[in-house]
Amino acid sequence: EKSRYETSLNLTTKRFLELLSQSPDGVVDLNWAAEVLKVQKRRIYDITNVLEGIQLITKKSKNNIQWLGNQAPGGAPSRHRLLEKELRELQAAERQLDDLIQMCSVQLRLLTEDPANQQYPLVQGRVGFAGWGAHSAAPAYVTCQDLRSVVDPSEQMVMVIKAPPETQLQVSDPAEAFQVSVRSTQGPIDVFLC
């Protein structure tokens, strides 16, 4: 004898929708469905009455129904698979970013521990690099000469901005007109051009 779950309307509906998704034209004979699913025909009618009421199926003939949904009933599982794939891709990208942040943190720590950099005065603070959302609370040693060696002055400009947390920096599209706006409600802002 079948369990209560095996004969539930919920499971029978899922199995009926699977049959519908396997039909190339979305048409299913209700007598055949009752035989395949091994349920009484009245259970199939219960399902089709609800599906017809919400306009997902229509009666083709006496014992045939056709799917009307904008996609085959298998569309929901395929959408689910697409979302699962997207989730896996996003998780992989997140792991990659975590690895890059970890690598940068190690490099910054090694830089600050390098004896060659010990000649610079200890500056406790937060260091942010363009393109990073994260900040390091490690000491930072940067001289104006270091900044000048990073870029070619004829090609790029280096701006050092010392600002409190919650400071907003907006940069316009360089193709239009290069403008930089820095706003803070938390304290003073110092800007140095190198």
Side-chain angles (χ1 to χ4, degrees):
E1 190 173 311
K2 291 182 181 180
S3 72
R4 186 178 176 120
Y5 173 73
E6 291 173 324
T7 59
S8 73
L9 193 57
N10 183 15
L11 180 63
T12 305
T13 302
K14 287 178 184 177
R15 292 174 57 213
F16 179 77
L17 288 174
E18 285 175 20
L19 287 179
L20 217 85
S21 70
Q22 293 168 3
S23 171
D25 56 357
V27 176
V28 170
D29 179 275
L30 300 181
N31 292 325
W32 173 79
E35 286 177 33
V36 170
L37 299 177
K38 296 181 174 112
V39 295
Q40 294 177 356
K41 197 170 175 184
R42 69 177 174 82
R43 298 295 270 176
I44 298 295
Y45 283 141
D46 291 340
I47 295 167
T48 57
N49 286 337
V50 171
L51 293 175
E52 189 175 15
I54 57 175
Q55 299 177 345
L56 290 178
I57 64 169
T58 187
K59 287 184 182 174
K60 268 308 246 181
S61 62
K62 184 178 179 194
N63 285 313
N64 290 305
I65 56 95
Q66 183 173 23
W67 178 254
L68 290 178
N70 59 355
Q71 57 185 358
S78 65
R79 170 100 172 113
H80 182 72
R81 282 191 294 275
L82 285 174
L83 290 173
E84 283 179 334
K85 180 183 177 213
E86 183 180 353
L87 178 62
R88 283 191 304 273
E89 290 169 355
L90 289 170
Q91 287 171 334
E94 183 179 22
R95 280 191 302 273
Q96 187 178 21
L97 288 172
D98 287 342
D99 291 344
L100 286 170
I101 290 170
Q102 178 67 26
M103 183 178 69
C104 289
S105 296
V106 168
Q107 289 177 352
L108 184 59
R109 184 176 49 81
L110 293 174
L111 178 68
T112 60
E113 292 173 358
D114 186 349
N117 294 328
Q118 298 304 317
Q119 64 186 352
Y120 301 118
L122 179 65
V123 178
Q124 285 289 345
R126 302 186 144 232
V127 178
F129 295 95
W132 282 16
H135 295 280
S136 169
Y141 307 95
V142 181
T143 66
C144 208
Q145 182 181 1
D146 293 332
L147 293 174
R148 285 188 189 114
S149 69
V150 172
V151 296
D152 177 1
S154 65
E155 297 288 323
Q156 296 178 343
M157 178 190 322
V158 174
M159 239 187 300
V160 178
I161 301 172
K162 181 179 177 185
E166 308 297 323
T167 299
Q168 293 181 350
L169 172 70
Q170 292 180 329
V171 180
S172 67
D173 183 358
E176 294 173 11
F178 186 72
Q179 292 182 335
V180 177
S181 169
V182 183
R183 289 188 201 117
S184 172
T185 59
Q186 305 294 321
I189 299 171
D190 295 324
V191 179
F192 307 95
L193 296 177
C194 297

